[in-house]
Amino acid sequence: MSGSQQVGPINSEQQYRMSCTGSGGGVSRQVTVSISGGGPTISLQAEPQQIAEGDSSTLTWSVTGATSCTANGGWSGSRPLSGTFGTGPLTSTTSFGLSCSGAAGNALQSVSVEVLDKWLRWQAPTQNVDGTPITDLAGYVVYWGTQSRNYIGDHRIEDPAVTEWEADIAPGYYYFALTAFDAAGNESGYSNEIRKRIL
């Protein structure tokens, strides 16, 4: 005698028993089917995820399928399976990780809090478009706008040694590009464009 039987779906541990009898007597067998999980599940969030330099964010987390958790990165130490944590003032973009373990395995989750500043930084060019060395660099012009390649403002820097500028403009998302000019006032084409949020 033989056969097969499909069971399920199974959402929790189940026991199955089969008993057989015949001329030689009877026999009974039992099997236990356990649910094999994929390890702990971690939900970790930061609010807000983008802050100004010196501001703070709040981490919120909840964990299932684990018995212990340890923080790493921008925080440390043992953590409960759920809770909140204030980061305190941050001066640079910081990653916060949470590592949890349980009977079904281990899991790791992380979230980054991005610290935004108003500074644009660049490297001074050393060559002209034709590959010859630049000998008369006189400064730069920073352009910005709310749409790509459609600039509504600019700032002229009359010193070739200056390679950063604080964008003290209204909060929002902007596209920025840079040009260089020589002693005769000849201006280069636009640099590659970046998009940056100003708080």
Side-chain angles (χ1 to χ4, degrees):
M1 177 182 286
S2 65
S4 64
Q5 174 70 46
Q6 183 174 350
V7 295
I10 300 172
N11 299 313
S12 61
E13 184 176 285
Q14 300 289 330
Q15 293 182 343
Y16 298 92
R17 179 187 297 272
M18 176 175 280
S19 299
C20 299
T21 58
S23 58
V27 65
S28 180
R29 294 288 185 268
Q30 178 176 300
V31 64
T32 300
V33 178
S34 299
I35 302 298
S36 177
T41 300
I42 303 172
S43 173
L44 175 62
Q45 297 176 328
E47 183 59 38
Q49 273 196 271
Q50 292 182 322
I51 60 174
E53 185 175 359
D55 286 351
S56 61
S57 181
T58 299
L59 307 181
T60 304
W61 72 95
S62 62
V63 182
T64 58
T67 55
S68 64
C69 294
T70 303
N72 56 73
W75 58 341
S76 62
S78 179
R79 299 290 166 184
L81 299 183
S82 64
T84 60
F85 175 83
T87 64
L90 298 176
T91 57
S92 62
T93 298
T94 306
S95 179
F96 297 86
L98 191 62
S99 176
C100 300
S101 61
N106 304 314
L108 174 66
Q109 184 67 272
S110 65
V111 65
S112 288
V113 178
E114 184 181 6
V115 175
L116 304 176
D117 63 25
K118 295 183 176 183
W119 288 91
L120 299 174
R121 297 174 178 88
W122 60 90
Q123 290 184 333
T126 58
Q127 292 183 335
N128 293 302
V129 175
D130 62 5
T132 59
I134 293 178
T135 58
D136 58 351
L137 179 64
Y140 311 94
V141 182
V142 180
Y143 292 89
W144 67 88
T146 55
Q147 296 180 341
S148 178
R149 297 301 185 191
N150 185 13
Y151 304 122
I152 57 174
D154 62 79
H155 177 76
R156 190 174 179 90
I157 299 170
E158 301 278 353
D159 184 348
V162 173
T163 56
E164 63 180 13
W165 176 67
E166 185 177 15
D168 192 14
I169 56 180
Y173 285 95
Y174 293 92
Y175 293 89
F176 292 92
L178 187 76
T179 63
F181 59 87
D182 62 19
N186 300 308
E187 189 174 354
S188 72
Y190 293 124
S191 67
N192 291 334
E193 193 176 59
I194 65 166
R195 185 172 187 256
K196 184 178 178 69
R197 183 184 180 190
I198 302 297
L199 289 179

